[in-house]
Amino acid sequence: MSKAHNIQLTILATLLGVVFCFGQKKSKGDNLFFQYKYQQAITAYEDQLREGVLSEQQFLNLADSYFETNNFEKASEMYLELYKKDTLMGSHHFNKMLQSFSKTTNKERKEAFLSTMSSSFSKELMENMEFNQQLLGNEAADPGLDYQIFNLLGNSPQTDFAPAFYKEQLLFTSGRPQQKGNRYEPGNEDYFNIYSARLQVDGQISGVAPFSEIGSSRFHKATPFYSESLKSIFYVLSNTQEGELAFDNTGKNALAIGKQTIGGSFQLLLKDLSTSFYYPYYDEASGKLYFSANFEDGYGGTDIYYVYTNNGQVMSAPINLGPRINTPGNEIAPFMFEGSLYFASDVFYGLGGMDVYKSNMEGEGFSIPINLGMGINSPEDDFGLIMRNAGEGLLGYFASNRSGGKGKDDIYGFKVDEKPGLKTIAIKGKVMKPYNPSEVVDKAVVRLKSDSGELLAETYSDEDGNYRLEIPWEEEVVLESTKDHFSRFTKRFKEYDLEGLENTDFDIGISLYDDLVEEQEGQMVVKMKKFYFGNNDTQLTPEIEVELDKVVDFIKSFPSAQLRIETYTDSRGGSSTNFRLTQSRSDAIKRYLIQNGVPASNILYSIGYGEDKILNNCTNGVFCLEMLHKQNQRSLIVVLNDNVLFN
């Protein structure tokens, strides 16, 4: 199929409407180019080129014409020439140049270009690219799912695309002939119209007919979406005035978004004579209306946006989904299912022209979009995916111009047991202090390693303590995190652990050394509340054990710490008795620590000092209040290697 029928690879060209030339005189090649007659435009531009009268803009138009007619060798050469001149090439044409390299023998040139220009691309784009290249390479683009993909019996020899569920029917867009339709010359078929068909048990359709619930028009009506809560159909339509096409001051007819309440009124929601809107999707949960548009300040060709609505009535300016989703290419056809955003993109690192990607929704943000891999995607254009639960699996539909179809674009159905997509491991959450979860830790390194210790991914927690890592599927991984003067966290995940992580947060606790120790009597000790043994007693009370558990946790956090247990008593009683008493108390502390997980090798000394180190004047023969004597009764856990612990 001609790329003019595929939104700058899918439906952009066919849906832009008719473009007439006003004002500045244009060449024959320009007129043909703006009418999407790319092969004829090539002939005209090549004649101009031989005469030496091709402007840089016309040179770019010629490169685009080669691209749209699949002559990627010539397209790549011309894009490269323009790039060397550093003139008209923008990010969207960079994407076309890279796509051309991918589809020719110039793949090495693509890698060379990326290595020199990577700093010019957004951080998110480079992360998306690296992850998808790794994922597709590791899995050979095979999702490991048993897809049952079938061509719909209701497809025509023309363009059929944009499936949408409507009760027990399937809506879709088609350029098939209508009884009194106007001919749309660039597509060499009728203006697009919306059709409905009955859904059969096996996923096939029957009874295809024009959809009667929306108003008639002689021009484009396309890409429907049905909202059950609003009982309304959202769709795009040609801008008109008094029943005729309406144009902006450059001669372009664009597409608007309207909402037709079933059995009720029609509302025009989004209209701009210079901007086309595509593929509306209404999210029932948030009230947001998502769509694609070709605003000039976007990241590439068409980007995905949303607006806030009140029962479908637009209440905000369009908001771009940002560089995690939108790229220098074209992004279209947003669809949400069970916490994931599905959309199509022709970004240069995909499998073909237009591929379907999945991104998990994370609050107001999105995860790295993941190519769905072979099956749903192909080396050709695949876009407009929808699906819903059916029995024990899923039933879905998408459009593609892959080989073996009936028309330019066909709609395909599919059945599958699980959500489509290549399998990954995504772990996210916060890094915080385990003894105070409200205190987060920023700039902590978080790593995922393989079972053999190979580094798979690395990131740092942000100012709110958030981290996120995603890698191609592994059956076992190790999660690690630390920061200077903090403990090291390590957690091993096996396959059954990983299955439940997709929609949950996994918080990491790392302890700050300075929070757990303090200086006492000129040495660094583990921080504990002061505790007392019973008179002449060596038994550990529950209150003492609570404090000793802090030592157990300290060693878990800092396993290389070397300890000395010191116990002291007051001056009352005989000196030798006090030595024996404090030694027994230190030994009791040591036994408890070892029984509760502290390795014996971490405890270098366990000493009872008796009354050798009195902290006040309460020495032998001096009368003191009980509270003053108690100041001398104490146990300390000294960190002997404090000065070298972090060297």
Side-chain angles (χ1 to χ4, degrees), residues 197-485:
R198 291 186 299 275
L199 275 174
Q200 306 299 311
V201 175
D202 62 358
Q204 281 289 353
I205 60 173
S206 62
V208 175
F211 186 51
S212 60
E213 298 289 350
I214 56 178
S216 62
S217 170
R218 292 186 294 127
F219 306 111
H220 287 312
K221 295 181 294 180
T223 65
F225 176 79
Y226 174 63
S227 166
E228 174 65 33
S229 64
L230 300 180
K231 301 292 188 291
S232 298
I233 301 287
F234 295 85
Y235 65 101
V236 302
L237 65 162
S238 299
N239 283 325
T240 59
Q241 185 174 1
E242 297 180 355
E244 298 297 331
L245 292 173
F247 302 92
D248 70 0
N249 56 14
T250 68
K252 181 170 71 174
N253 172 253
L255 293 164
I257 290 180
K259 178 173 75 74
Q260 174 68 57
T261 302
I262 302 298
S265 61
F266 170 81
Q267 288 178 287
L268 195 61
L269 301 180
L270 292 166
K271 177 179 179 178
D272 183 329
L273 288 181
S274 298
T275 302
S276 278
F277 301 91
Y278 316 97
Y279 280 103
Y281 171 84
Y282 180 73
D283 180 33
E284 313 272 357
S286 67
K288 293 177 181 177
L289 176 63
Y290 292 81
F291 55 89
S292 299
N294 60 345
F295 290 113
E296 290 184 358
D297 60 353
Y299 291 91
T302 59
D303 284 359
I304 299 176
Y305 296 80
Y306 69 87
V307 290
Y308 290 101
T309 75
N310 183 4
N311 291 324
Q313 186 65 42
V314 176
M315 303 296 289
S316 75
I319 299 168
N320 193 296
L321 260 59
R324 180 59 73 198
I325 299 298
N326 293 315
T327 74
N330 296 292
E331 281 70 47
I332 62 167
F335 178 81
M336 293 180 180
F337 182 75
E338 294 184 351
S340 296
L341 169 69
Y342 293 83
F343 65 97
S345 174
D346 66 356
V347 67
F348 59 85
Y349 51 75
L351 292 176
M354 188 70 75
D355 283 353
V356 181
Y357 291 80
K358 178 184 80 170
S359 175
N360 293 325
M361 301 172 68
E362 299 177 345
E364 292 297 313
F366 296 91
S367 68
I368 289 176
I370 298 168
N371 192 298
L372 294 194
M374 295 298 290
I376 298 296
N377 291 324
S378 72
E380 306 305 324
D381 299 322
D382 309 283
F383 55 101
L385 179 142
I386 63 170
M387 62 185 151
R388 68 185 185 187
N389 291 303
E392 296 182 356
L394 299 169
L395 171 67
Y397 299 89
F398 65 95
S400 177
N401 67 338
R402 62 186 62 190
S403 60
K406 299 177 181 178
K408 298 176 180 179
D409 285 330
D410 277 7
I411 298 173
Y412 290 81
F414 69 90
K415 293 182 178 181
V416 69
D417 292 337
E418 303 174 28
K419 288 170 63 174
L422 299 176
K423 202 170 183 181
T424 67
I425 297 170
I427 302 180
K428 61 184 177 65
K430 287 185 179 292
V431 183
M432 46 76 176
K433 295 180 178 179
Y435 42 84
N436 186 7
S438 64
E439 193 170 349
V440 299
V441 182
D442 66 349
K443 299 179 182 177
V445 63
V446 186
R447 300 186 180 98
L448 270 177
K449 293 183 176 180
S450 68
D451 186 38
S452 61
E454 175 190 1
L455 180 64
L456 302 174
E458 179 179 277
T459 190
Y460 287 84
S461 57
D462 64 18
E463 60 183 8
D464 296 317
N466 297 309
Y467 79 93
R468 187 183 188 284
L469 290 166
E470 189 165 7
I471 60 170
W473 180 260
E474 299 267 338
E475 292 186 352
E476 189 169 344
V477 295
V478 177
L479 179 67
E480 294 182 353
S481 180
T482 191
K483 185 179 177 179
D484 188 33
H485 270 252

Side-chain angles (χ1 to χ4, degrees), residues 562-565 590 593-594 598-606:
Q562 298 172 352
L563 307 180
R564 179 174 64 227
I565 302 170
K590 179 178 180 179
L593 295 179
I594 292 173
V598 176
S601 57
N602 285 84
I603 304 173
L604 301 190
Y605 305 99
S606 172

Side-chain angles (χ1 to χ4, degrees), residues 528-534 539-550 592:
M528 300 182 292
K529 292 180 181 178
K530 193 169 184 179
F531 57 79
Y532 300 98
F533 287 86
Q539 292 295 314
L540 302 181
T541 65
E543 291 75 20
I544 295 175
E545 291 176 348
V546 167
E547 298 308 309
L548 293 181
D549 287 341
K550 296 176 181 178
Y592 180 85

Side-chain angles (χ1 to χ4, degrees), residues 94-157:
F94 286 151
N95 187 71
K96 285 188 174 183
M97 180 173 72
L98 291 168
Q99 280 186 298
S100 299
F101 290 158
S102 297
K103 293 174 179 290
T104 66
T105 56
N106 290 323
K107 293 183 180 179
E108 295 78 9
R109 186 174 285 176
K110 171 186 170 182
E111 298 304 319
F113 175 83
L114 284 171
S115 65
T116 59
M117 289 297 295
S118 59
S119 60
S120 301
F121 293 131
S122 72
K123 168 175 161 281
E124 291 86 354
L125 178 67
M126 298 308 294
E127 289 175 347
N128 292 358
M129 178 193 73
E130 290 169 3
F131 186 80
N132 276 276
Q133 287 181 339
Q134 179 189 11
L135 185 65
L136 294 173
N138 283 1
E139 297 289 340
D142 181 3
L145 296 175
D146 184 17
Y147 288 112
Q148 300 177 45
I149 297 177
F150 49 93
N151 189 293
L152 293 193
L153 298 175
N155 284 316
S156 72

Side-chain angles (χ1 to χ4, degrees), residues 20 32 88 99 133 167 180 186 255 269 336 458 488 506 511 523 554 572 580 596 629:
F20 297 108
L32 293 166
L88 299 174
Q99 280 186 298
Q133 287 181 339
K167 301 178 181 178
K180 296 182 180 179
L255 293 164
L269 301 180
M336 293 180 180
E458 179 179 277
R488 178 177 295 276
F506 184 84
S511 303
Q523 52 193 353
F554 174 78
R572 293 175 294 186
R580 288 193 300 272
N596 286 274
H629 277 303

